[in-house]
Amino acid sequence: MRIRIQISDSEQIEIECDEGVTSLQLLNMCEQCTRLRDKALVALANGEPIDLNRPITGDVTLRFIGFDDEVGRDVYRHTTAHILAHAVKQIFPEAKLGIGPPIENGFYYDFDVPKPFEPHHIEMIERKMRELIESDTPIERIEMSKHEARELFERLGERYKVELIDEMDEDIVSVYRQGEFVDLCRGPHLPSTGWVKAFKLLHSAGAYWRGDERNPMLQRIYGTSFPTHEQLQAYLNQLEEAQKRDHRRLGRELGLFSVEEDIGPGLVLWHPKGAIIRQLIEDMLRVELVERGYQFVYTPHIAKVTLWQTSGHLSWYRENMFAGIEIEGQEYLVRPMNCPFHILIYKSATRSYRDLPMRLAEMGTVYRYERSGTLHGLMRVRGLTQDDAHIFCTPEQVGDEIEGLIELAYHLLGRFGFEQFEVVLSVRDRSHPEKYAGTPEVWELAERELERVLNKLGIEHKRIEGEANFYGPKIDVYLFDAIGRKWQCSTIQLDFNLPERFDLTYIGSDGRGHRPVMIHRAILGSMERFIGILIEHYAGAFPVWLAPIQVSVVPVADRHIEYASSVASELSKHGIRVEVISRSDTVSAKIRECELRKVPYILVCGDREVRSGSVSVRQRGRKDLGEISVADFLRMLIEQIERKNL
RNA sequence: GCUGGUGUAGCUCAGCGGCAGAGCGGGGGAUUUGUAAUCCCCAGGUCGCGGGUUCAAAUCCCGCCGCCAGCUCCA
C-alpha cells in the first residue's frame, strides 16, 4: 500500500507500508514528519478528515491538520465536548445526551437532566474532566449497522440519540468510545483524552432540543479548549475585553443613552451626548446620499390598516407589529417598515422612465414587536430608526443601482474604520417557485445581475440558495469590528412584490406602462444598532469628529480658570465641543476624569501656558505631547474633524 | 415567548427573619495642585411592584414587571 504524505504545500513524500497502519504511526515512523508530529490533531485522507489512530486500508494522500486550521480546532473541541459529556454521565448517570458540536470559539453539549446545572455542578464537572484527561483514556471509533447502533442507544436509554439514528440515511454509523462512555458521532476525534491540554467551561443555559421551542428544553454547557494554557488565557482575556466594551455599560458610563423601565423595553432614550453622535452620523449620511441623487422625505409613523392590507404586511409581518389604535372607527397600525409610505409618494404622480431611478431616503423610525427575550441594549430594540431608502428603477437599471449601493456601503462603513466584511447573496430555492412573488424571468435576471455586480467589484461572497425573501433576492453585508466580532449591517433587498401589489408603473420610451423594480436598502442598518456597534468597536473612545466632548481644558490651579475659559471659548467659536474642568482638584485627578470620559484631547493650562498663550496637549490614552499655540492646535483639530480622521 | 439566574442609594455591590450599609459618583468646605484618584464633612432608599406567612420581612412563600445568559428571530 502506497501512502503519500503532504509535508507542506511544496513537499511530498511517498512511503510503502502495510495495511492497517495509522496516521499516528506514520508520523512517528518517518523523519520528515517530525515537524508535523507536534501539531497534528487529525489527518486528511484524500481530503476527508480521519482520526489519527484510524487504520488506513488503501492508497491515500495524507495531510496533517493542526489547531491553526478550522478543521483541527473543531476536532480538538469536539473531543473536549465528548470529555464533558463523559464527565456529566459519571456525575449524573441519569442525564440523557443531546448533541455536542464544536462552535466558533469552543463547543457545547446539551443534556436532558431533571434539574438545571448550578455553578458548583460546573466546577464538579470540570474537576471530573481533568481526571478523565489525566487518565489519558484512548478514544476508539467503532462502526456498526444503523440497527445495531439503534439497539445500543435504546439499551442505554439515550432517546435523543435514537431519534437522530432514525433520521439517518446511512446504513453504517460510527460510534466513539472512551472508557465506559460511548457516543453516536461522525468524528473524527483525537486519539485519547490526554490530548486535550487546556479547557474551561464557560456557562450553562437552557436550549431546546433541536432549537425548537415545542421540544423539551435541555441544559447546555458551553466551554472552550486550546492546546496551551497561554492560548486559553488569551482567549479568556479577550472575552473580558469584549465585556469591557459592552455598549450597554459604556452607554451608561458615557451618558449616551438609556432604556427606562417606565417607558418600555427596547425603547431607547438618546441622551444629549448620544444624540450628538447620532446627529453627526445622520448629517454625514445626508450629504453623501444627496450627492448620489437621493431625495429625502418625511412620512408618518402610523397608517390605516388598509394600507398594511394592500402592502401585505398584515399577512406576513403581523406577529412583529404592535396592536392597532382605533380612531373615529378606523384602525391605525404603527409602522414596522417605511416602504408603503415611499411607495405612495412614488404613486402620487405619473412617473416616466426619465424619472428613474428614483431614490427616496428617510431616517425612518419604525416599531417592531420583538419577543422580550431577544432585546439587547441598542443592538436589538423595538423602536428603531433605519437609514432607509427605496429605489424605484427599471429592471435594466438594477445592476447599476446595486453596484452603486455596494460601493456606497463600503465607502460609508470605511469612514468608521471598518475594513473587513462578509457579503452574503441570498437567492431563491429553485425547487419551490410557488413560494416566491414575481416571475421566474425577472428573478433570473435579478439574480444574474447581483452575481455579476459582486464579481465585477471583486467582492468575495457566499451564495445561499433558498435564503432569499419571498419578494426578491438580497445582499447582506456583515462587518467585523476592532476585536473581530461579526455584525449584520447593510442589507440590499430587491422587491418584485410591492410594485405588483401597489400596481406601480412608469411610462417607458415606448409610451406604454411598465412595472418598476423596487430596492429596499439600509446601509448602516439602524441608528440604534450601528451606534451600538460603534461604541463597542471604538470601546467608547470615539474619533474626534464624533466625540461628544472633543476637548477638555484643564487649568492647573484656580488662578488659571480664566485663561482656560478663554481658550475654551475660542475653540467653541469654531464649533469645537469643549468643556473646562473648573473644579479645584489636582491635575492628575482632572486628567483622570477626562480619560475615563474618553475625551480625545486634554489641554492643560498653567503659568507657562498663560505666559505664552499656548496649551499643553495630551491626546487620549497617550502622555503629554508638549506645548503648542492655541491657533496651531485649533488648526490641527479642525483639519482632523473635517477629514473625519479615525 | 420559553428555561435558568437576578433586582438593595445615580453606579458597583455587602446585608439574607430583629435599627438599611460600604466604595465610587453627587453637594459643601479646606487645599492651589503640572499629566489616570488630596483631605474632611454632608445629603441621598417605597430594599422592582402587588399580595401572603410572621409579634416582626430587604431577608421566607406566591403572582406580576424589568434586567442578564441561552434557545428562537433579526436592522
Side-chain angles (χ1 to χ4, degrees):
Chain A
M1 179 173 83
R2 297 195 71 73
I3 292 183
R4 271 191 299 277
I5 298 177
Q6 197 81 38
I7 306 282
S8 66
D9 284 344
S10 54
E11 199 184 348
Q12 208 183 54
I13 57 165
E14 249 188 59
I15 27 181
E16 188 64 38
C17 45
D18 299 332
E19 281 217 356
V21 70
T22 69
S23 320
L24 199 54
Q25 287 164 342
L26 286 167
L27 275 178
N28 287 321
M29 263 158 57
C30 80
E31 270 184 31
Q32 295 96 317
C33 295
T34 336
R35 271 177 297 133
L36 299 175
R37 195 180 307 154
D38 294 337
K39 53 171 277 242
L41 297 172
V42 61
L44 284 188
N46 296 335
E48 275 298 302
I50 61 163
D51 312 278
L52 288 179
N53 60 5
R54 184 166 170 186
I56 296 169
T57 50
D59 293 359
V60 74
T61 303
L62 282 183
R63 273 186 58 212
F64 290 97
I65 300 289
F67 199 79
D68 50 355
D69 188 290
E70 196 186 330
V71 175
R73 281 197 294 277
D74 281 355
V75 168
Y76 194 86
R77 287 165 174 164
H78 197 173
T79 295
T80 320
H82 273 217
I83 297 170
L84 163 61
H86 191 170
V88 168
K89 288 290 274 186
Q90 286 192 346
I91 300 171
F92 306 96
E94 74 285 5
K96 300 288 168 249
L97 301 175
I99 56 167
I103 52 176
E104 188 145 353
N105 286 307
F107 60 87
Y108 67 80
Y109 212 113
D110 287 342
F111 304 95
D112 190 351
V113 280
K115 274 193 188 153
F117 296 110
E118 289 170 34
H120 74 274
H121 292 138
I122 301 290
E123 283 167 38
M124 260 163 70
I125 295 166
E126 270 192 338
R127 274 198 299 276
K128 187 62 83 180
M129 286 173 72
R130 272 194 201 97
E131 285 171 26
L132 291 170
I133 287 170
E134 257 164 58
S135 74
D136 198 16
T137 311
I139 299 171
E140 180 191 1
R141 178 188 172 93
I142 305 160
E143 292 185 354
M144 56 181 75
S145 71
K146 195 169 145 179
H147 177 72
E148 280 176 294
R150 197 183 191 287
E151 280 195 341
L152 170 65
F153 286 103
E154 185 91 44
R155 198 169 64 241
L156 293 169
E158 297 288 0
R159 48 178 282 228
Y160 301 101
K161 297 291 178 190
V162 171
E163 192 180 320
L164 291 175
I165 292 169
D166 284 341
E167 286 173 28
M168 287 180 165
D169 294 329
E170 299 88 339
D171 296 329
I172 299 290
V173 301
S174 60
V175 160
Y176 279 78
R177 172 191 297 280
Q178 54 196 58
E180 79 287 358
F181 175 77
V182 289
D183 195 358
L184 175 74
C185 185
R186 189 168 284 126
H189 277 282
L190 301 175
S192 66
T193 57
W195 281 55
V196 173
K197 299 302 178 196
F199 75 95
K200 181 153 180 63
L201 300 183
L202 297 171
H203 53 260
S204 71
Y208 299 103
W209 169 237
R210 318 191 104 182
D212 189 328
E213 64 193 38
R214 289 164 302 196
N215 286 338
M217 175 157 296
L218 310 182
Q219 293 304 316
R220 176 170 298 178
I221 298 179
Y222 286 89
T224 192
S225 57
F226 288 88
T228 65
H229 286 95
E230 290 70 35
Q231 279 167 285
L232 174 65
Q233 196 51 50
Y235 176 72
L236 296 177
N237 291 346
Q238 197 199 322
L239 285 186
E240 222 174 285
E241 172 64 19
Q243 239 172 34
K244 274 192 230 145
R245 288 169 179 255
D246 191 317
H247 74 283
R248 292 165 300 184
R249 209 178 72 121
L250 287 167
R252 190 180 52 238
E253 287 173 1
L254 301 176
L256 304 180
F257 70 92
S258 66
V259 179
E260 303 293 334
E261 189 170 343
D262 286 341
I263 293 174
L267 300 169
V268 176
L269 292 182
W270 293 84
H271 296 208
K273 287 187 176 145
I276 283 178
I277 295 171
R278 173 166 165 180
Q279 199 175 3
L280 288 163
I281 294 173
E282 291 183 4
D283 289 349
M284 172 182 108
L285 211 58
R286 276 211 173 74
V287 170
E288 298 270 8
L289 293 185
V290 169
E291 267 176 24
R292 289 170 174 78
Y294 285 79
Q295 298 171 286
F296 271 87
V297 300
Y298 293 97
T299 62
H301 292 196
I302 58 173
K304 284 192 209 162
V305 68
T306 45
L307 180 75
W308 305 107
Q309 274 159 2
T310 307
S311 70
H313 282 92
L314 230 39
S315 54
W316 68 277
Y317 208 71
R318 174 119 229 191
E319 73 268 23
N320 280 298
M321 294 172 72
F322 280 97
I325 314 158
E326 209 197 275
I327 301 166
E328 294 177 345
Q330 293 277 350
E331 198 188 359
Y332 288 75
L333 292 172
V334 182
R335 69 173 174 194
M337 293 188 194
N338 310 304
C339 23
F341 301 86
H342 295 185
I343 286 174
L344 292 189
I345 291 175
Y346 177 90
K347 242 179 105 97
S348 65
T350 307
R351 305 296 177 183
S352 139
Y353 71 98
R354 296 174 201 276
D355 297 327
L356 305 184
M358 185 166 168
R359 309 184 184 96
L360 298 181
E362 178 175 11
M363 300 308 302
T365 302
V366 298
Y367 293 86
R368 298 179 181 177
Y369 166 68
E370 303 285 355
R371 299 161 92 192
S372 55
T374 65
L375 300 173
H376 182 86
L378 291 180
M379 303 299 191
R380 192 74 191 280
V381 293
R382 285 183 175 159
L384 56 138
T385 302
Q386 296 176 299
D387 63 321
D388 205 3
H390 294 92
I391 299 175
F392 302 88
C393 64
T394 69
E396 295 71 34
Q397 288 170 332
V398 164
D400 283 349
E401 287 306 306
I402 299 295
E403 185 172 342
L405 285 170
I406 293 171
E407 279 173 344
L408 176 63
Y410 275 57
H411 170 71
L412 284 177
L413 299 174
R415 302 207 71 169
F416 296 95
F418 297 112
E419 280 156 4
Q420 206 196 337
F421 305 101
E422 186 176 298
V423 176
V424 178
L425 169 63
S426 298
V427 297
R428 70 199 191 282
D429 173 1
R430 284 160 180 277
S431 55
H432 293 282
E434 74 286 354
K435 288 200 317 201
Y436 300 97
T439 64
E441 294 75 40
V442 69
W443 272 90
E444 192 58 44
L445 173 71
E447 288 179 2
R448 218 175 34 238
E449 280 295 282
L450 294 181
E451 187 78 64
R452 184 185 66 78
V453 168
L454 288 171
N455 290 332
K456 180 183 168 195
L457 296 174
I459 290 173
E460 237 184 87
H461 60 275
K462 278 190 205 159
R463 182 189 167 100
I464 309 183
E465 313 282 332
E467 273 298 296
N469 295 318
F470 77 84
Y471 51 80
K474 62 173 176 176
I475 293 174
D476 289 313
V477 178
Y478 296 80
L479 56 79
F480 290 87
D481 70 11
I483 56 171
R485 289 170 307 172
K486 186 167 95 174
W487 303 96
Q488 184 174 5
C489 194
S490 315
T491 180
I492 301 170
Q493 311 184 356
L494 264 52
D495 191 333
F496 311 131
N497 179 47
L498 288 177
E500 204 68 46
R501 295 187 79 110
F502 281 92
D503 191 26
L504 299 187
T505 55
Y506 65 91
I507 309 300
S509 56
D510 56 4
R512 289 215 292 269
H514 298 272
R515 187 76 75 209
V517 172
M518 188 175 162
I519 304 170
H520 309 251
R521 45 108 290 183
I523 303 299
L524 306 184
S526 75
M527 295 315 290
E528 286 74 14
R529 174 179 293 179
F530 188 71
I531 291 177
I533 295 168
L534 276 190
I535 293 170
E536 304 211 352
H537 178 62
Y538 295 135
F542 283 85
V544 66
W545 76 277
L546 281 174
I549 301 286
Q550 295 169 307
V551 178
S552 289
V553 188
V554 172
V556 172
D558 286 358
R559 65 177 179 279
H560 307 119
I561 290 180
E562 199 187 325
Y563 176 73
S565 302
S566 74
V567 170
S569 72
E570 174 66 15
L571 296 180
S572 173
K573 251 184 250 164
H574 289 84
I576 307 298
R577 299 182 291 277
V578 55
E579 64 177 3
V580 180
I581 309 290
S582 55
R583 98 186 119 84
S584 89
D585 215 330
T586 62
V587 172
S588 287
K590 288 183 265 200
I591 297 234
R592 180 182 142 85
E593 186 191 322
C594 300
E595 286 283 352
L596 288 175
R597 290 161 65 192
K598 316 231 183 240
V599 177
Y601 286 103
I602 299 167
L603 304 182
V604 177
C605 301
D607 291 335
R608 289 201 304 268
E609 289 78 12
V610 173
R611 249 193 325 271
S612 61
S614 64
V615 289
S616 282
V617 179
R618 178 185 165 119
Q619 209 176 356
R620 178 177 54 203
R622 299 169 60 183
K623 298 287 174 198
D624 192 354
L625 300 183
E627 237 177 290
I628 177 174
S629 77
V630 175
D632 284 349
F633 173 73
L634 187 57
R635 208 169 305 126
M636 177 211 76
L637 187 65
I638 287 174
E639 185 178 313
Q640 284 189 15
I641 292 168
E642 278 174 359
R643 289 190 176 172
K644 299 184 165 54
N645 282 1
L646 296 173

